[in-house]
Amino acid sequence: MSKKSKIVKVAGPLVIASGCRGARMFDLVRVSDKNLVGEIIELKSDKAYIQVYEETSGIGPGENVELINSPLTVELGPGLLGSIYDGVQRPLDKISLKYGDFIPRGVEFSALDYEKKWHFRPIAKKGDHIGPGDILGEVDETVLIKHKIMVPASVEGKIVEIAEGDFNIKEKIALVNNKDKDISISMSSKWPVRNPKPFKKKFSPSVPLTTGQRVIDTFFPMTKGGTACIPGPFGAGKTVTMHEVAKWSDADIIVYIACGERGNECADLLLSFPELKDPRTGRPLLERTVVIANTSNMPVAAREASVYTGITIAEYYRDMGYNVAIMADSTSRWAEALREISGRLEEMPGEEGYPAYLSSRLAQFYERAGSVECLGSDRRKGTLSIMGAVSPPGGDLSDPVVQATLRVVKVFWGLDEKLAHARHFPAINWLESYSLYHDNLREFIKNNISQDQIDLKIEAMRLLGEESSLLEIARLVGIDSLSFEDRLILEVAKSIREDFLHQNAFHEIDTYTSLIKQHRILKVIMLFFSLAKTKLKEGMSFEEILKLEAKEKISRLKYIEESKLEEFDNIEKELKEAFGKSKE
Amino acid sequence: MQKEYLTVNSISGPLVIVEKTRDVKYAELVEVEFSNNEIRRGKVLEVQEDKALIQMFEGTIGLDVENSKVRFLGRVQELGVSKDLLGRIFDGAGRAKDEGPEIIPEKRLDINGNSINPYTRDYPSEFIQTGISTIDCMNPLVRGQKLPVFSGAGLPHAKVSAQIARQATVLGKKDSFAVVFAAMGITFEEADFFMKDFYKTGAIERSTLFINLANDPAIERISTPRLALTCAEYLAFDLDMHVLVILIDMSFYCESLREVSAARKEIPGRRGYPGYLYTDLASLYERAGRIKGKKGSITLLPVLTMPEDDKTHPIPDLTGYITEGQIIISRELHRKGIYPPVDVLPSLSRLKDKGIGKGKTREDHSDVLNQLFACYAKGKEARELSVILGEAALSDVDKIYLQFANEFEESFVKQSEYENRSIEESLSIGWKLLNKLPLQELKRIREEYLDKYYKK
C-alpha cells in the first residue's frame, strides 16, 4: 500500500504529512528520499503527525513520505548480547565500520547479523505438540548464556521437522503443522516495542537482586522482578551507582539504556565491560549485556523510543527464564523527550510543561517489570527488574518525574548532594531512602544469610536514626554535654557510616561485597557496640574504649578478601578479648 | 537564477514569516535584503507548504514588509575551514573581524555537525596539567572532557579560564595544541582582557576567536558556539590537534534561545526557558571528546554566570547534567581575597579516575584527593560549629580540622595568577597539610602510601 503522502510542514523533529488515509497510530514511516525513520504519533483526517528519529534539516514540504504498515519493532534472536544499539535498534558498531566516526542520517541496518551461523540443538522432538513460548531448542549465544529458541506467539501445532545443525537466524530450524498448514520457524522474530510481551502469571518477588553494594543490599534491598529508582542532583553519583549495579548485580542479563546521557560515560561502559569480569563466572561482563546508547546529542525522538526498545529486549530474555535487570539512565531525559514532542504537537501541558500523560506512561513502563511464569508448557520462571535513574532539576524531589516515579516503584535510593560533597559514596541517604521489599525477603535472608541479620540491620538503622537527632543536639549545646552512652552511639554510627555504608567503587576489593561479608562486617560493628555498652555501664571509661586497638581493625574490615572471610572470626575473638582484658 | 520573494507577511521580534514560498527546506540559510540594500542572514525555523518562518540572526531593525527581498540559499549554515583559521578573530557569525584576508576554505562544514557515534568514542584518560592545585589535584581535567566553570557576577572566572588556557599542558608530551575561544554577549572589556592575554603570551598564534559582544545582535549568539565547535572539530579530527574550547558566557547564549522561543510563542519550561534547553545544550557540549584512532581531542570549558549564584537555576542545572563535572567559583573565598576562589567541595571532575594515578600523575593521587576532600569537608563543618558555639566548644579533633581548613585555603587553594604549579608540587602541599593530622584520621589513604609519604 504505497500511497502519495507528502510533507506539508516541518518543525524540528515533528513532520506533518498529508495523504495518509489508512495510516495507523504508531506506524513507522520513511521520510523524504533521505530515508529518515519516523513514527506516527497523531492523526487528523488524512494528516499524519510524525516524530522523526533523525535530524530533519534540509527536509521540506512536497517531499515524499513512505508509509510502512508496521509499528516500531525490535528484532529478537541470537546475537543481541554484547551488542550496542541506538534508540531504534540500529547497531552502532556496524554503523561506525561503514560510515566512520559520526552518525549519518537515514542509515538502515539490520539489528542482527544475518550471515553468522549458530549451532542449534533441538530440545523439542519431531511429533511434539507445541504452543507459544515452548522451547524448541537452544543456541550457545555466549559461553554463559544459552539462547532458548521459543515458539513465536500465535504459532501452535505439531512439529513436523526439526534438526540439529548450523543455521543463520533467518533459516528454517523447524516446521510446524497446524491443520494442513505448515509454518516454518526461524531463530529470529520481531516484536512491537510498545506492547509488553505476554506471560502466564505474575508473582510477588521474593529473591534479592544482589548488587555487592552494602548500603543497597543490607539496608535498601532490591528484588529480582522489582522496581527501583535513583533520583539525585547532578554530581551525586547516579551514573556511577548504576554502573556499579550493572557490573556486580547477580542478574543473568543486563540491559543498559543510556538515555539522553553523556557520550563519554557510554564510552566508559563500552570500553570497560569487555574487560571487566563477572565476579561469579569470570567471564567478560559484555557477554551478558546489551547496551542501548542514545546519548543526549542524538535525536530526541529516538530517545523516547529507546526505553521501549530496551525493555522489549529484556522481556525477550525474561521469557527464556532468565533473571534480567534493566537500567534506564536517565528516565528524566526520556520524560523531557516526551515533553518536547508534546510541545511541538501543541498539546495542553500539565505540570512543568510535561504532558498530562507523563505519569501513566511512566507507570506503564515500570509495570513491565515483574517475576513471572513464562509462556510455555514447562512453567519456567523469569524475572525482569527495572532500575531507573531520575535527574530532577536542582535535585528537587517535588519534580513531576520523581513524584510520578515514586508512586510506582518499590525501592527509593535517594542520593544526597551533601554526602557526595563529603565524598561519601554511594551517596545514598540512609534516612530518606526506603525499600518496600524487606518483608518479601525475610525468608530468604533467614535461610541464606543468617538468622540474626534482620535484627542487626534494624538495630544499625536505629543507631543511624538516633545519630542524626543526637548530632542536632550536639550542634546546639556542644558534644561534651552528651552522656557517654550517647557519645558511644555517635561513635558507632560513625563507624557504620564510614566502615560499612561508605564504599569505594574504584578500590579493587571494596567495589564488591558479598551478602555474607556484608553480614560479617555489620556483625563486628554491632558486636563492638554491645560490648562497649556493657563495659561502659560497668565503669570502663569512654576514652579507654576509643583507644582500643581492636577498634582500629573495624575500619579495615571492608578490605578483607572474599576468600578469607575466616579472618572475621579472629577479629571477633580479638574484640572480645580486648574488652575482656580491660576488666582487670 | 535564484528566486527572490517579496512576500514578507509579518515580522515579530527576530522572526519573519514569508508567504507563497516553494521548495523551502527546514533549517535552510536565508538572505534578506533590506530596502536600503543591506543584507542580513537568517535560518528557517519552520516550514509549511506555502509559508516559512525565519529567524534572523542580526535582528529585524529596519526591516519592512513591503520592500524586503528574501532569498533561500539552499544550504544550511556552514563554516569554511582551513588551517588558516588559527591566529584569526571572527565575529559571532563567522566573518573576519581583524584586518586579515578572507579565509579560502578547504571545505565547508555544516555548523550543526553530526553526533559522534558513542561506539567510536575513546574514553578521556590523559591528564591535563593546568598548574592550578584545586583543579589538578582535586578536580583533574582530562583531554576530551567538558568541564564548565560555574561563576557569578563579579567573580574572576575570566582570569581563571585565561590562566587555564595559558598553562594547560599534558605531562611529558609535546603535541600541537590550539585554543578556540567563543565569546557570547560578554562586554568589550572582558573580551579585550582575553585578547590582550592571548597576544601577550603569544597564544594568539594557535588560537581562533569568535567574538559576539554584548552590543552585537543577540540572536547571532545562537550560532557562535556552533561555529567555534565546528572549527574545533576540524582542528582536532582533521588536523590532529588538541583543542581547548572556551565558551563564555553560556548564560547569554541561553537567553538568546529563550528570546527566540518566546517569539515563537512556545510553551515555556522552567523560568521561561524552552523545554528543549537540555537537548540544545547537549548538542553543543557533547561535541567535546576523543575518537578512537584519532590523535586530536576537544576539551570543552564553558563558562557561565549563575543568576544570584543559584546552582539550581536551569542553565547551570542542565549544564551540570550534561557536562562531566563542574568547577565552582566561590564568592566566599573571593571575599577572603583567595585567588583562584575555586570552591573545592561542590566542584567535581567525573573523569578524573582514569586520568590520574600511577604512570599518569602519581600513585597516591587518588587517595590524597579523597582524603583532602574529606578533611576539608570536616574542617568546614567544624568552622560552622565554631561560628555557632565559639571555638572553645570544639573538641580537640575538631580544632585540628578547623586549623586544617584554614591552612588548606591559605596555602593549597591560594596561588598567584601566574603561578604554574606542577602536580608534584600540588601533591606535596597536600601531604604537608595531611601531615598535621593524626594517623588514624587518614582512613581514605592506603597503608602503603601512608608508609611512603606520611611525615616523610
Side-chain angles (χ1 to χ4, degrees):
Chain A
M1 188 185 78
S2 176
K3 272 198 268 171
K4 288 255 177 226
S5 309
K6 298 265 184 223
I7 298 177
V8 293
K9 181 178 174 179
V10 184
L14 182 74
V15 168
I16 302 174
S18 68
C20 299
R21 213 166 277 281
R24 290 173 307 191
M25 280 292 273
F26 293 105
D27 267 4
L28 279 191
V29 293
R30 288 275 175 184
V31 176
S32 107
D33 52 358
K34 294 196 174 71
N35 218 10
L36 311 184
V37 193
E39 196 179 21
I40 298 176
I41 50 172
E42 197 172 310
L43 287 166
K44 276 185 190 160
S45 73
D46 79 328
K47 282 206 181 94
Y49 290 62
I50 300 160
Q51 61 170 346
V52 180
Y53 294 135
E54 294 171 88
E55 173 62 41
T56 49
S57 66
I59 305 288
E63 292 187 58
N64 288 322
V65 170
E66 186 194 344
L67 300 177
I68 300 167
N69 275 310
S70 126
L72 180 63
T73 56
V74 289
E75 192 157 28
L76 302 166
L80 285 168
L81 292 178
S83 296
I84 158 157
Y85 295 116
D86 77 350
V88 287
Q89 215 202 4
R90 284 180 300 198
L92 289 169
D93 47 349
K94 287 176 197 148
I95 290 178
S96 82
L97 280 181
K98 190 160 171 197
Y99 294 98
D101 304 327
F102 295 87
I103 304 174
R105 292 190 288 173
V107 290
E108 227 175 321
F109 249 109
S110 57
L112 298 170
D113 190 343
Y114 287 166
E115 306 298 318
K116 184 168 177 172
K117 297 268 185 188
W118 299 90
H119 187 78
F120 173 74
R121 283 186 314 275
I123 289 175
K125 291 183 298 294
K126 192 173 162 182
D128 284 358
H129 191 88
I130 47 118
D134 280 338
I135 292 173
L136 288 172
E138 352 173 279
V139 161
D140 290 328
E141 186 170 0
T142 66
V143 176
L144 294 178
I145 301 297
K146 287 194 172 35
H147 192 109
K148 313 261 166 58
I149 307 297
M150 295 168 288
V151 178
S154 80
V155 174
E156 213 175 337
K158 213 155 89 179
I159 300 179
V160 193
E161 222 182 286
I162 188 164
E164 178 160 0
D166 295 325
F167 303 98
N168 70 35
I169 56 167
K170 284 284 167 197
E171 280 171 312
K172 179 182 76 178
I173 50 154
L175 202 63
V176 173
N177 178 281
N178 185 359
K179 297 180 202 151
D180 325 319
K181 222 170 73 190
D182 281 350
I183 308 158
S184 149
I185 297 177
S186 72
M187 286 193 270
S188 72
S189 59
K190 288 197 170 178
W191 191 266
V193 296
R194 291 179 199 276
N195 296 359
K197 293 198 84 196
F199 50 83
K200 262 194 203 146
K201 225 176 12 195
K202 219 174 206 176
F203 306 100
S204 201
S206 60
V207 180
L209 181 81
T210 60
T211 62
Q213 309 304 302
R214 294 187 288 265
V215 58
I216 293 177
D217 290 348
T218 299
F219 290 112
F220 310 106
M222 168 73 175
T223 54
K224 290 198 173 82
T227 50
C229 74
I230 314 184
F234 63 82
K238 279 185 303 296
T239 302
V240 177
T241 311
M242 285 291 232
H243 281 199
E244 283 300 291
V245 175
K247 278 178 202 164
W248 304 121
S249 78
D250 64 344
D252 302 311
I253 311 271
I254 303 280
V255 178
Y256 198 98
I257 309 171
C259 170
E261 285 289 307
R262 303 176 180 89
N264 279 333
E265 280 170 358
C266 267
D268 181 28
L269 204 70
L270 294 172
L271 293 172
S272 63
F273 269 39
E275 283 158 31
L276 282 171
K277 299 273 189 291
D278 184 339
R280 293 166 304 140
T281 55
R283 298 295 307 172
L285 283 170
L286 198 65
E287 290 188 0
R288 61 163 194 173
T289 311
V290 183
V291 180
I292 313 286
N294 209 85
T295 54
S296 55
N297 57 338
M298 286 159 79
V300 71
R303 197 193 297 166
E304 197 267 333
S306 65
V307 297
Y308 294 108
T309 302
I311 200 156
T312 309
I313 293 175
E315 283 175 337
Y316 176 63
Y317 281 98
R318 175 205 66 192
D319 287 348
M320 293 177 206
Y322 287 115
N323 297 310
V324 187
I326 188 165
M327 270 122 221
D329 184 13
S330 141
T331 54
S332 291
R333 305 297 161 234
W334 170 56
E336 275 167 16
L338 277 183
R339 174 167 72 180
E340 193 170 335
I341 307 287
S342 159
R344 305 232 185 230
L345 285 173
E346 292 167 11
E347 291 173 339
M348 186 66 85
E351 247 178 303
E352 297 260 355
Y354 286 106
Y357 45 79
L358 171 72
S359 66
S360 62
R361 289 276 171 91
L362 270 169
Q364 276 162 10
F365 171 69
Y366 280 105
E367 198 51 25
R368 285 172 81 165
S371 167
V372 303
E373 185 183 319
C374 313
L375 288 184
S377 49
D378 59 353
R379 306 182 63 107
R380 63 185 181 278
K381 279 187 184 172
T383 63
L384 172 54
S385 326
I386 303 183
M387 281 159 275
V390 194
S391 325
D396 175 11
L397 295 185
S398 67
D399 167 65
V401 185
V402 179
Q403 286 305 315
T405 306
L406 285 180
R407 281 208 294 271
V408 285
V409 300
K410 290 282 174 57
V411 181
F412 166 64
W413 297 318
L415 295 180
D416 189 332
E417 205 176 7
K418 272 213 187 103
L419 292 174
H421 287 174
R423 293 306 183 261
H424 175 104
F425 287 115
I428 295 175
N429 185 312
W430 48 87
L431 297 175
E432 281 170 15
S433 304
Y434 61 76
S435 164
L436 301 181
Y437 289 126
H438 284 297
D439 289 339
N440 299 40
L441 295 175
R442 193 166 299 244
E443 282 306 304
F444 181 93
I445 291 172
K446 278 191 176 154
N447 297 336
N448 295 284
I449 305 176
S450 167
Q451 288 288 340
D452 58 350
Q453 172 70 357
I454 291 171
D455 296 333
L456 281 178
K457 78 179 181 198
I458 290 173
E459 176 74 358
M461 203 26 104
R462 187 184 66 81
L463 290 183
L464 288 170
E466 268 181 43
E467 182 198 29
S468 94
S469 42
L470 285 173
L471 281 178
E472 208 132 291
I473 298 172
R475 209 164 287 142
L476 290 175
V477 296
I479 192 142
D480 291 329
S481 48
L482 292 181
S483 72
F484 284 122
E485 262 164 50
D486 285 346
R487 288 182 67 178
L488 179 67
I489 290 177
L490 286 184
E491 202 55 44
V492 175
K494 182 176 157 207
S495 168
I496 298 174
R497 279 190 287 116
E498 292 181 359
D499 306 326
F500 188 82
L501 297 177
H502 176 269
Q503 193 164 356
N504 185 352
F506 301 98
H507 187 285
E508 43 296 340
I509 296 171
D510 199 21
T511 179
Y512 172 83
T513 311
S514 67
L515 289 181
I516 298 291
K517 187 176 153 191
Q518 296 185 16
H519 164 68
R520 299 301 300 260
I521 300 179
L522 195 59
K523 197 169 173 186
V524 173
I525 297 175
M526 299 316 286
L527 179 72
F528 172 80
F529 176 60
S530 69
L531 288 173
K533 202 164 73 177
T534 333
K535 283 288 159 189
L536 203 58
K537 269 189 196 139
E538 285 173 20
M540 187 173 171
S541 85
F542 184 61
E543 278 71 30
E544 225 176 313
I545 293 175
L546 287 190
K547 277 187 200 132
L548 280 182
E549 217 171 284
K551 184 178 169 283
E552 280 303 296
K553 292 225 164 124
I554 293 178
S555 64
R556 307 272 166 199
L557 289 178
K558 50 183 161 186
Y559 303 121
I560 293 176
E561 283 171 50
E562 291 289 341
S563 56
K564 293 179 184 157
L565 291 186
E566 65 277 1
E567 279 183 34
F568 279 96
D569 296 332
N570 299 333
I571 290 170
E572 277 171 22
K573 215 167 90 193
E574 264 176 61
L575 206 56
K576 280 177 192 155
E577 277 168 8
F579 276 102
K581 234 189 283 162
S582 67
K583 209 180 211 172
E584 287 101 56
Chain B
M1 177 57 199
Q2 216 167 29
K3 252 188 217 167
E4 243 177 29
Y5 293 95
L6 293 161
T7 46
V8 171
N9 169 278
S10 66
I11 307 166
S12 106
L15 303 182
V16 174
I17 293 175
V18 188
E19 291 197 316
K20 299 188 183 138
T21 55
R22 282 185 66 88
D23 291 332
V24 172
K25 308 292 184 201
Y26 174 71
E28 195 172 347
L29 200 61
V30 184
E31 253 178 26
V32 180
E33 196 177 323
F34 284 42
S35 46
N36 61 359
N37 296 333
E38 187 192 346
I39 290 177
R40 288 190 194 169
R41 297 204 290 178
K43 84 174 199 193
V44 176
L45 275 190
E46 204 175 290
V47 49
Q48 298 181 28
E49 272 174 305
D50 55 351
K51 220 196 297 187
L53 177 71
I54 299 164
Q55 166 201 326
M56 298 300 297
F57 296 140
E58 296 136 283
T60 44
I61 299 174
L63 189 65
D64 68 72
V65 175
E66 294 287 303
N67 303 310
S68 307
K69 297 170 190 156
V70 179
R71 290 185 287 271
F72 293 92
L73 301 182
R75 57 182 167 89
V76 293
Q77 202 181 359
E78 290 169 332
L79 175 73
V81 291
S82 94
K83 63 174 185 299
D84 299 330
L85 283 169
L86 286 173
R88 298 294 305 273
I89 301 174
F90 301 92
D91 71 359
R95 287 170 298 234
K97 208 177 177 175
D98 50 7
E99 276 90 63
E102 280 291 303
I103 298 283
I104 299 162
E106 219 167 90
K107 57 178 173 182
R108 306 191 68 85
L109 297 173
D110 177 353
I111 66 160
N112 289 311
N114 272 328
S115 3
I116 301 180
N117 187 331
Y119 184 77
T120 60
R121 272 185 194 269
D122 207 353
Y123 196 72
S125 61
E126 282 172 301
F127 173 75
I128 299 180
Q129 182 176 297
T130 64
I132 299 174
S133 296
T134 39
I135 296 176
D136 289 350
C137 183
M138 305 304 282
N139 298 291
L141 178 67
V142 290
R143 269 185 182 167
Q145 185 173 14
K146 36 194 182 298
L147 192 64
V149 176
F150 286 6
S151 183
L155 294 176
H157 46 266
K159 276 188 191 172
V160 177
S161 36
Q163 189 175 2
I164 295 172
R166 195 164 55 228
Q167 298 180 345
T169 48
V170 169
L171 292 181
K173 286 205 178 168
K174 290 254 179 308
D175 291 329
S176 44
F177 187 74
V179 175
V180 174
F181 179 83
M184 293 156 281
I186 63 173
T187 58
F188 166 77
E189 281 163 53
E190 232 174 324
D192 192 49
F193 164 77
F194 277 100
M195 278 195 262
K196 276 199 185 124
D197 197 75
F198 283 4
Y199 275 114
K200 198 167 74 187
T201 55
I204 189 78
E205 295 299 315
R206 49 181 179 89
S207 308
T208 307
L209 283 69
F210 294 87
I211 308 275
N212 167 289
L213 295 179
N215 59 346
D216 287 337
I219 305 304
E220 203 176 82
R221 267 162 226 165
I222 296 178
S223 30
T224 310
R226 295 190 163 80
L227 290 165
L229 285 160
T230 308
C231 169
E233 274 172 8
Y234 172 75
L235 296 175
F237 303 130
D238 283 28
L239 302 184
D240 290 340
M241 300 181 89
H242 292 286
V243 189
L244 178 69
V245 183
I246 297 177
L247 305 176
I248 181 170
D249 175 323
M250 288 308 289
S251 310
F252 292 114
Y253 168 83
C254 295
E255 273 160 22
S256 296
L257 216 57
R258 178 165 68 176
E259 194 178 327
V260 173
S261 169
R264 293 182 70 181
K265 302 191 171 63
E266 290 173 331
I267 295 162
R270 275 199 304 151
R271 300 227 185 168
Y273 289 96
Y276 49 80
L277 185 61
Y278 176 84
T279 309
D280 190 275
L281 285 174
S283 71
L284 297 179
Y285 296 150
E286 278 291 331
R287 290 171 79 171
R290 290 172 66 209
I291 290 179
K292 282 183 207 159
K294 291 268 166 79
K295 263 194 184 157
S297 66
I298 299 178
T299 310
L300 188 60
L301 209 68
V303 179
L304 52 92
T305 45
M306 300 181 279
E308 286 180 77
D309 298 349
D310 175 12
K311 210 173 69 162
T312 63
H313 184 279
I315 301 171
D317 189 50
L318 295 178
T319 298
Y321 274 123
I322 305 163
T323 54
E324 286 125 359
Q326 65 277 340
I327 302 288
I328 295 187
I329 306 284
S330 147
R331 198 169 292 278
E332 188 195 331
L333 289 176
H334 183 59
R335 280 203 193 110
K336 280 192 191 166
I338 290 171
Y339 174 89
V342 173
D343 200 350
V344 171
L345 295 185
S347 295
L348 169 73
S349 163
R350 291 163 186 272
L351 303 183
K352 60 178 187 289
D353 296 291
K354 298 243 163 81
I356 63 175
K358 207 174 176 181
K360 299 200 162 145
T361 53
R362 210 169 77 180
E363 76 273 21
D364 58 327
H365 189 159
S366 169
D367 287 7
V368 171
L369 179 165
N370 284 326
Q371 191 64 60
L372 286 173
F373 261 118
C375 293
Y376 184 50
K378 274 192 192 160
K380 282 191 91 170
E381 252 172 53
R383 186 184 288 162
E384 255 170 56
L385 218 61
S386 78
V387 169
I388 303 170
L389 298 171
E391 213 177 312
L394 294 185
S395 69
D396 290 344
V397 181
D398 280 347
K399 277 181 195 150
I400 297 177
Y401 276 117
L402 177 60
Q403 180 69 15
F404 175 88
N406 292 339
E407 283 176 19
F408 182 81
E409 286 168 6
E410 279 303 322
S411 61
F412 188 89
V413 178
K414 191 173 180 176
Q415 65 186 90
S416 100
E417 206 183 323
Y418 287 89
E419 185 179 354
N420 192 352
R421 285 185 193 159
S422 73
I423 179 66
E424 290 278 339
E425 282 173 65
S426 296
L427 283 172
S428 68
I429 299 174
W431 272 109
K432 226 179 261 170
L433 295 168
L434 292 178
N435 283 345
K436 297 186 177 164
L437 295 173
L439 185 62
Q440 67 267 22
E441 293 296 323
L442 306 182
K443 280 188 183 178
R444 306 272 164 97
I445 301 185
R446 266 163 265 207
E447 263 165 274
E448 54 205 282
Y449 304 144
L450 284 174
D451 292 345
K452 191 165 168 194
Y453 296 103
Y454 184 66
K455 296 201 174 164
K456 292 284 147 59

